[in-house]
Amino acid sequence: MTSIFNVTKEELESYFIDKGEKKFKATQVFEWIYRKEVYNFDEMSNLKKDTIEMLKNDFYFDELKLVTKQEDELVKKYLFELNDGHRIESVLMKHDYGNSICISSQIGCNMGCKFCQSGRLKKIRNLTASEMVLQVLTVQKDINERISHVVIMGIGEPFDNYDNFMNFIRIVNDPYGLAIGQRHITVSTSGLVKKIYEFADEETGVNLAISLHASTNEKRNNIMPINKAYNISEIIKAVKYYIDKTNRRVTFEYILLKDINDTKLDALNLCKLLKGINCYVNLIPYNETENTEFKRSNYDSISNFYDILKKNRINATIRKEFGSNVSAACGQLRAENN
Ligand code: SAH
Ligand code: SF4
């Protein structure tokens, strides 16, 4: 038995073929679930009784229990409880271009980035594809509006849960699934280089963001332990491969930490590093969290940093603040309710 929300349409097609049935039944089941929001095989009225019984033997409908919801006008933060009692968070953001959800991919995270609240809790386990899909379905149901964009930037390192993450993307992107376009999906990684190559070879149109946060190995080692396994030049090499393979622009995320990585020299090093790469830099004002020594860079440092990138013709934006009223900003998830 597995949750039906773990299963891609291709997998369900093979299932039906193995059972000697027509593969289009997979499309029918997907339409019931993801179009009509019917979470019960008995109500799938265009399927035969035997087919329904067969499905009931092999699959069940999983759900997420909503524990709390905090909201302001544009942001809603959801705390969910999983079947084994662990808790995860998802954040919905209302943009002018649509509703975007930020989902978690693991319970805790093993990467141990010094500035990140989510990483304070060691990884307990990976989320299943079902638990990722259900974050989208449950929030969509709650707001009673379509979710058009997905970012995998909540708790966890998605490339450390690669297979489930890929199934999640396939289900979300499937035209008979949630039908969210690949260009409306963004995955962020702290730089698991091997998986960047693997992901490049999938040749999806999903947006890739790399959490860089420093322009020298010395500095990156200090704030992101993963850099000791995969250093900056290995990341850059993998990113170049990704761009060659997919022809897509890559985003580099760079949190500005006061006196740590926000000087003029840091900016110049970053320009050297990224010169000639089809990318843009997302400068992120640090969201201060409890128990970290880091401070947000002041306004002048942020805008000087930005100006240096611009002068060197590196595309850059300063991330708009979102969600700090409800502690739903990046890196603040699971700061409470532990
Ligand atoms: N594990 C993945 C995705 C989740 S983190 C990754 O690290 O890329 C999503 C983004 O939020 C990352 O760029 C991360 O570095 C950033 N982030 C973490 N803590 C933050 C904080 N306190 N303030 C601002 N951004 C933060
Ligand atoms: Fe994990 Fe990403 Fe936080 Fe690093 S920034 S600890 S990789 S969730």
Side-chain angles (χ1 to χ4, degrees):
M1 285 279 261
T2 181
S3 163
I4 190 73
F5 301 113
N6 274 322
V7 182
T8 65
K9 192 152 98 315
E10 287 67 29
E11 288 171 341
L12 200 55
E13 284 172 354
S14 318
Y15 166 84
F16 279 118
I17 291 166
D18 285 349
K19 298 275 183 186
E21 301 224 22
K22 292 272 188 306
K23 75 171 191 183
F24 75 86
K25 292 199 172 150
T27 304
Q28 294 180 320
V29 171
F30 258 58
E31 282 182 319
W32 280 112
I33 298 174
Y34 295 105
R35 293 278 171 82
K36 300 177 197 155
E37 297 181 18
V38 168
Y39 302 152
N40 180 348
F41 292 119
D42 285 318
E43 289 174 38
M44 301 186 175
S45 54
N46 56 0
L47 299 181
K48 283 189 299 218
K49 272 255 154 358
D50 306 358
T51 311
I52 291 177
E53 285 313 309
M54 186 180 91
L55 287 166
K56 280 160 81 173
N57 269 325
D58 293 322
F59 304 105
Y60 60 89
F61 286 89
D62 206 358
E63 58 184 26
L64 293 182
K65 202 167 103 204
L66 177 62
V67 182
T68 56
K69 180 167 76 171
Q70 281 170 275
E71 51 193 318
D72 64 18
E73 221 175 300
L74 298 174
V75 182
K76 295 175 203 291
K77 180 166 79 162
Y78 295 82
L79 180 69
F80 292 116
E81 190 165 293
L82 309 171
N83 290 334
D84 60 2
H86 291 300
R87 291 172 170 197
I88 52 160
E89 286 175 330
S90 320
V91 180
L92 180 90
M93 290 157 285
K94 289 183 168 273
H95 294 282
D96 42 13
Y97 55 78
N99 293 314
S100 167
I101 189 173
C102 173
I103 69 139
S104 296
S105 57
Q106 297 180 316
I107 304 168
C109 179
N110 271 348
M111 302 303 138
C113 305
K114 295 270 166 54
F115 46 79
C116 176
Q117 190 73 36
S118 309
R120 217 129 294 255
L121 179 70
K122 279 250 160 268
K123 177 173 97 174
I124 295 171
R125 66 168 173 86
N126 287 327
L127 294 190
T128 62
S130 168
E131 288 162 337
M132 291 187 255
V133 168
L134 279 166
Q135 293 175 60
V136 185
L137 292 177
T138 313
V139 171
Q140 192 162 254
K141 185 127 198 144
D142 181 69
I143 60 170
N144 202 18
E145 278 176 37
R146 180 167 188 267
I147 289 177
S148 56
H149 291 69
V150 174
V151 302
I152 302 119
M153 288 197 190
I155 303 161
E157 167 50 56
F159 280 7
D160 182 38
N161 182 15
Y162 189 79
D163 294 339
N164 292 342
F165 150 76
M166 276 310 298
N167 259 24
F168 165 72
I169 290 198
R170 291 187 186 109
I171 295 165
V172 158
N173 176 241
D174 194 287
Y176 295 97
L178 285 165
I180 298 176
Q182 299 193 339
R183 270 144 223 240
H184 288 185
I185 305 173
T186 302
V187 59
S188 173
T189 177
S190 56
L192 271 63
V193 163
K194 271 206 195 114
K195 296 294 171 189
I196 297 176
Y197 285 103
E198 228 176 285
F199 191 58
D201 290 336
E202 314 262 3
E203 299 188 41
T204 75
V206 168
N207 302 306
L208 176 65
I210 307 282
S211 293
L212 192 62
H213 309 321
S215 52
T216 64
N217 284 320
E218 201 193 346
K219 290 199 177 188
R220 199 165 187 268
N221 284 342
N222 281 333
I223 54 175
M224 299 181 71
I226 179 71
N227 199 63
K228 290 171 194 153
Y230 301 110
N231 66 30
I232 293 180
S233 62
E234 290 172 283
I235 292 177
I236 297 293
K237 212 171 127 196
V239 164
K240 285 182 175 159
Y241 178 84
Y242 177 88
I243 295 170
D244 274 353
K245 218 44 220 237
T246 62
N247 218 357
R248 310 275 343 263
R249 185 165 78 162
V250 167
T251 302
F252 287 99
E253 292 157 287
Y254 196 104
I255 302 177
L256 288 157
L257 303 165
K258 186 170 190 296
D259 301 330
I260 305 276
N261 65 0
D262 65 347
T263 66
K264 191 175 166 193
L265 187 61
D266 290 306
L268 288 169
N269 280 335
L270 187 61
C271 295
K272 252 188 249 162
L273 195 64
L274 301 184
K275 194 163 180 244
I277 297 178
N278 181 19
C279 69
Y280 90 90
V281 177
N282 202 350
L283 295 173
I284 307 173
Y286 181 57
N287 296 312
E288 290 180 15
T289 59
E290 292 159 42
N291 359 294
T292 69
E293 68 267 39
F294 301 107
K295 293 265 168 286
R296 166 181 293 213
S297 301
N298 58 36
Y299 179 80
D300 284 348
S301 321
I302 296 179
S303 73
N304 289 340
F305 202 97
Y306 173 83
D307 289 342
I308 293 172
L309 297 189
K310 281 283 167 191
K311 254 185 224 133
N312 286 275
R313 297 212 196 86
I314 305 281
N315 299 311
T317 51
I318 300 173
R319 180 181 287 173
K320 193 169 131 206
E321 305 258 0
F322 240 103
S324 43
N325 286 344
V326 291
S327 285
C330 303
Q332 292 186 326
L333 297 184
R334 289 296 276 148
E336 301 145 21
N337 276 307
N338 262 332

